[in-house]
Every structure is written in structure tokens, then in C-alpha cells.
Amino acid sequence: MFRPRYAMKNLISCPNCGKLIDPRIPICRHCNANLALAAILAEKKMTIPPVELLKGQLSPEVLVPRLGDYLIEKEVLRKEDLQRALRYQEEMQAKGQPKLIGQALLELGAISREVLDQAITEQIFQLQSALQRANEKLEARVRERTLELENALNRLSELSQLKSNFIANISHELRTPLTHLRGYLDLLMDTTLGPVNNQQVDALSVMLKAEDRLERLIENLIRFSDFSRGSLDLQLESVDLLDVFMEIVPVAEQKCGEKGLVFHTKIPQGLPSVKADKQKLPWILNHLLDNAIKFTPEGGSVHVGASIETGIVKLYVADTGIGIAVNQIDEIFEPFHQVDGSSTRRYGGTGLGLAMVRQVVEAHGSNIVVRSKKGKGSYFEFSLPIADAGLER
């Protein structure tokens, strides 16, 4: 007689009721659950073939692959009996009465019900043990990989901090000699150090513009470094948008005039105050306007304006410039990145402006929306909440 290889002392928990049971017994004596089915279904490790479920043949045998070979290996079934059962299976299948191999063996009298139940029970519990070991190995590997990823993230954070510190330090170091250069250029320009001729005035003008551009680049580097280290503190208060537009419009209008661009404004009457940082809001709009002016060829136009909606004010900057391909819009917000990254690109810059603009806009609890078409221009928009009537101004 075939017996499973389990000792009485090797008790396990019933997958259905949780009480200790002898794995040699196919039915739990506490809850009458079929242990073979409960063990697998409780773990949800295997799927019952739908055809068997439809035909109501929910049997432990459907969970056991190659049952016939297993019975031969245990020397409780002869090969010729298995072949006979397989032929019988084919015959019944042809008649529309499919049989499982265990059913076929029982009907042919090749094995007893006790032998079949014991074989199925033992094989399923072996399968369950194998699955448990595999799960334990998988969980160990997941823990190992999680630790590796945590270490990698910590290292990445350290490198990012080093990068930010380097940018901040080098930027501050550059600021001091630049201040000296600016001071002496101003002294030369206003003839404090002696008279200069027209050619020298032209040369000094070029140098002052270059110094001004370099100063703005350094300021951007310092500000970006501060933002990266979490130093983006907002002082939210009621901000009069008319005051903001009065500050930024004349500067943008002058820059457009120097480049041969048409400048448009659309500022509705009764524009309410918004809740924002009084220093950073003009900074955002100035950056967007500078970008629009830089990337719009002579003869084009730049627009700035606002629209009032329920509870918010939408602010926008638009241009008729070179535009951005749809699949590259996300790239323009990456630090130190420009869509045209070649060494021969026409437009200079560090690629920090829009990265910082998005950081400041998101710090206000808003999002910057971009619509653009290559060769047709770009549109940037963000919204701010209307300030409460009682908010101190």
C-alpha cells in the first residue's frame, strides 16, 4: 500500500481553519475542508482551468501536473495501466465525456480511491512547500534589491548636494571680481577716470552689456542652488497685479523695441489682487517675457496678459517665436538643458530659467501650462488664487 512520507510529529496548519492537522489525512477533521484544494486556493498560487469549473469538476486532481508519471514513480501504477487509461481518456473525450486521468484510472480499476487521494495530497503539499521556498527566496531578493536601491538613492542625494554646494560656492566666488569689473567699467563710462573717445564708449557699452549678462547668469546659478537645497521660502500676501504689470511692462516693452518686436498687453479692468510672493511673482513673469523675447525673431510679437475666472486669475505670456516641438516640451524645464544643445546653437543661456520658474510656480500651489507649435510660437500660463478680501495687504 502506498503511504505519504510524513511522520505524525510533522503537523501543519490547516489552510482553511488554521488548526493543526496531520498532512497524511486528505480531509481536515476540524472543518472538513479538502486539504489539497484549500492549500492551493488559500495561497492563490495556481489557477483552476475554466473548463473544469464550468463542468463542475472541481477536484484536487486538476491541481496536480503529470499525475500518471508521479504514480509510476511511486511504484503504485504500471506503465501499461497508464497507457490504457490514456487511451480510455481519448475515447471518452471523443464521446463528449472528458475524464481526468485519475478518474480514468479509478474507472478502469488500475488504482484505488485511497491511493489516488494520498498521491494527490502528497504531491500538492510538496508543491506548496516548493512555492513557499521560492517565495522566501524572492522576498530575500526583494529585500536585497530594496537595500541596494536605498543606498543608491542616498548616494545620489549626496552627489546632488555636492553639486549644489559647488555651484553655490563657485557662483559666490565669481560675484566678487565681477563687482570690481562693474565698478571700474562704470567709472570709465562716466569719465571719472578721464575722458574717453567715441570708439572707447562703444567698446565700454559692449563690455557693460556682457557684464550685465554674466551677472544675471551668476544670479541664476546662485538662486538655482538655493532652490535645490530647499531654500525656496515664499512670503504669501495680497499682491496688486496692476502694480506688478506696471513694474514689468515698461522693461519688456523697451527690450521688444530694441529687437524690433511688437509688444501687446491685455490687462482687464478691475483686476483683483492675488495671493502670491510679491518679489517672486514679477520675477516669474520677467523670466517668461525674457524667454519670449529671446526666442522670437525680429518682426514677431510678444504678449502678456491676464484673465479673471472663478476664484483665480490666469497670467500668461505668449510669443510668435520659434516654438517647441510637442515631444520636447518637458525638456525645457530640465536644469542646464536646452532643446538645441549643440555647440552651434543660436541662443545662449544656462537652461536654468524655466526650471526655476516651474519650481516657483509649483511652490505657489499652481502648475505652469505650455502650448507650443514648432515655428509658430509658444504660450505659457499659470494661475493664482484671488486674495481674500480680509487678507492684510
Side-chain angles (χ1 to χ4, degrees):
M1 179 68 65
F2 165 68
R3 299 285 183 186
R5 297 176 182 174
Y6 289 97
M8 285 296 293
K9 62 179 181 180
N10 293 327
L11 299 180
I12 64 171
S13 297
C14 172
N16 187 50
C17 69
K19 294 183 178 180
L20 293 176
I21 49 94
D22 182 349
R24 296 180 300 175
I25 303 172
I27 303 296
C28 176
R29 63 183 179 85
H30 301 288
C31 64
N32 294 322
N34 185 314
L35 297 177
L37 282 178
I40 299 302
L41 297 180
E43 294 290 334
K44 297 182 180 179
K45 295 300 183 184
M46 298 191 68
T47 302
I48 307 299
V51 64
E52 302 301 340
L53 290 175
L54 290 172
K55 294 185 178 182
Q57 298 181 8
L58 183 54
S59 163
E61 186 182 338
V62 299
L63 302 174
V64 180
R66 304 183 65 81
L67 177 61
D69 292 339
Y70 184 76
L71 290 169
I72 291 174
E73 180 185 338
K74 292 297 180 181
E75 298 181 352
V76 294
L77 180 68
R78 298 181 302 172
K79 289 184 179 180
E80 52 267 31
D81 288 334
L82 176 59
Q83 293 301 320
R84 184 160 58 93
L86 291 172
R87 289 193 297 270
Y88 175 69
Q89 228 185 356
E90 292 177 0
E91 292 171 4
M92 298 306 292
Q93 180 70 37
K95 294 178 181 180
Q97 301 176 17
K99 300 285 183 180
L100 296 170
I101 189 63
Q103 291 176 308
L105 289 168
L106 286 176
E107 292 179 11
L108 293 175
I111 58 172
S112 67
R113 167 59 68 179
E114 182 181 5
V115 169
L116 178 63
D117 288 346
Q118 289 174 338
I120 290 173
T121 301
E122 183 177 71
Q123 193 173 10
I124 286 182
F125 274 106
Q126 289 176 354
L127 176 60
Q128 185 187 24
S129 297
L131 288 171
Q132 185 175 356
R133 289 193 299 272
N135 284 338
E136 289 172 355
K137 289 182 180 179
L138 179 60
E139 289 171 0
R141 181 57 179 159
V142 168
R143 287 194 296 270
E144 180 184 336
R145 290 295 295 153
T146 301
L147 182 60
E148 290 175 0
L149 288 173
E150 288 176 353
N151 291 336
L153 286 173
N154 290 336
R155 180 58 179 158
L156 185 62
S157 177
E158 292 173 0
L159 292 174
S160 179
Q161 185 66 43
L162 288 172
K163 181 190 71 175
S164 297
N165 291 342
F166 172 77
I167 293 172
N169 291 338
I170 197 66
S171 299
H172 283 289
E173 289 297 323
L174 288 172
R175 179 187 276 175
T176 301
L178 192 64
T179 302
H180 295 158
L181 284 174
R182 180 67 188 223
Y184 281 107
L185 285 172
D186 287 338
L187 289 174
L188 289 169
M189 195 68 174
D190 64 15
T191 67
T192 301
L193 299 179
V196 291
N197 58 39
N198 291 337
Q199 288 182 323
Q200 291 170 331
V201 168
D202 291 340
L204 288 171
S205 297
V206 172
M207 293 171 68
L208 283 169
K209 288 181 180 179
E211 187 280 336
D212 182 66
R213 179 170 175 270
L214 183 57
E215 187 175 349
R216 282 186 283 113
L217 290 176
I218 292 173
E219 288 298 325
N220 281 346
L221 283 170
I222 293 173
R223 186 174 281 109
F224 177 76
S225 177
D226 290 340
F227 289 177
S228 299
R229 290 182 294 182
S231 300
L232 180 53
D233 296 323
L234 299 183
Q235 301 296 324
L236 297 180
E237 56 184 314
S238 179
V239 178
D240 190 331
L241 285 176
L242 288 177
D243 289 345
V244 173
F245 280 114
M246 287 178 64
E247 176 184 342
I248 67 171
V249 165
V251 178
E253 195 168 25
Q254 180 182 349
K255 290 179 179 178
C256 284
E258 292 173 355
K259 194 175 178 182
L261 305 177
V262 180
F263 184 65
H264 298 279
T265 61
K266 187 176 181 181
I267 304 171
Q269 291 185 346
L271 193 61
S273 297
V274 295
K275 191 174 182 180
D277 187 297
K278 184 176 290 188
Q279 303 300 321
K280 292 184 175 63
L281 179 55
W283 178 86
I284 293 171
L285 292 170
N286 276 326
H287 259 291
L288 293 176
L289 283 167
D290 284 346
N291 252 35
I293 294 167
K294 178 166 68 172
F295 292 107
T296 302
E298 184 179 356
S301 61
V302 172
H303 307 252
V304 64
S307 63
I308 306 170
E309 298 190 7
T310 305
I312 62 170
V313 176
K314 287 188 174 181
L315 302 168
Y316 69 87
V317 172
D319 62 67
T320 60
I322 61 174
I324 311 157
V326 174
N327 63 342
Q328 293 181 308
I329 287 178
D330 288 341
E331 296 180 27
I332 65 176
F333 294 107
E334 295 178 12
F336 304 103
H337 177 85
Q338 283 198 349
V339 173
D340 177 14
S342 67
S343 59
T344 58
R345 68 188 186 200
R346 290 181 54 194
Y347 307 97
T350 59
L352 289 175
L354 289 178
M356 292 189 294
V357 164
R358 183 168 68 174
Q359 284 182 305
V360 178
V361 169
E362 290 179 351
H364 277 81
S366 183
N367 289 302
I368 190 158
V369 177
V370 183
R371 293 194 292 272
S372 187
K373 190 173 182 180
K374 193 76 172 175
K376 298 293 184 180
S378 301
Y379 175 91
F380 291 79
E381 173 194 282
F382 64 97
S383 59
L384 293 171
I386 294 174
D388 294 335
L391 187 65
E392 183 179 349
R393 298 188 56 175

